[in-house]
Amino acid sequence: MKLKNTKYNLITFIPKVLYEQFKVFINLYFLVVAITQLIPDLRVTYVYTSWAPLGFVIFITMCREAYDDLKRRWRDNEVNSAVYKKLTPAGVVKVTADKIRSRGPHIR
């Protein structure tokens, strides 16, 4: 059984990160303010003054999340490829971590 701690894959990265960001009230507030700036009758400032900071924060957050998820993937691969000694009825056998199966209760 392979260890897998990554939060995202290629398809789910953008939707999950955006969902996590806009769950936070202040980010959702700035998104609503930026959207209202697209309506000419509600426009108070230039459009880019509300979209640029929001886009910058979301971009930096996405870069950080991608980097953190890559680090998790690298650690998982390192642990999954580690070689361990397994005691079997035939004696001691060297196996990789992904070939070891637990028979006890699984912790989730």
Side-chain angles (χ1 to χ4, degrees):
M1 185 157 108
K2 280 191 167 191
L3 178 68
K4 185 176 180 226
N5 289 317
T6 56
K7 292 169 60 174
Y8 312 107
N9 63 36
L10 196 57
I11 297 170
T12 64
F13 178 73
I14 291 176
K16 279 187 176 182
V17 170
L18 290 177
Y19 173 74
E20 290 295 322
Q21 284 305 300
F22 292 120
K23 263 188 357 184
V24 178
F25 175 76
I26 196 72
N27 289 346
L28 185 60
Y29 171 78
F30 282 113
L31 176 66
V32 170
V33 168
I35 289 172
T36 61
Q37 297 307 303
L38 296 175
I39 303 169
D41 292 338
L42 299 176
R43 189 173 297 157
V44 178
T45 63
Y46 296 110
V47 174
Y48 64 84
T49 59
S50 43
W51 282 99
L54 180 64
F56 178 73
V57 168
I58 298 300
F59 175 75
I60 295 298
T61 302
M62 290 177 94
C63 290
R64 187 193 72 217
E65 287 291 328
Y67 178 70
D68 288 346
D69 207 50
L70 276 174
K71 283 188 355 187
R72 280 197 244 12
R73 184 176 305 255
W74 293 334
R75 281 194 311 262
D76 290 349
N77 288 340
E78 184 180 319
V79 168
N80 288 333
S81 64
V83 178
Y84 296 93
K85 293 178 183 177
K86 181 179 177 183
L87 182 60
T88 64
V92 177
V93 180
K94 290 184 179 182
V95 294
T96 57
D98 60 341
K99 302 285 191 252
I100 298 174
R101 291 188 355 189
S102 171
R103 294 181 187 227
H106 296 287
I107 300 172
R108 294 201 187 250

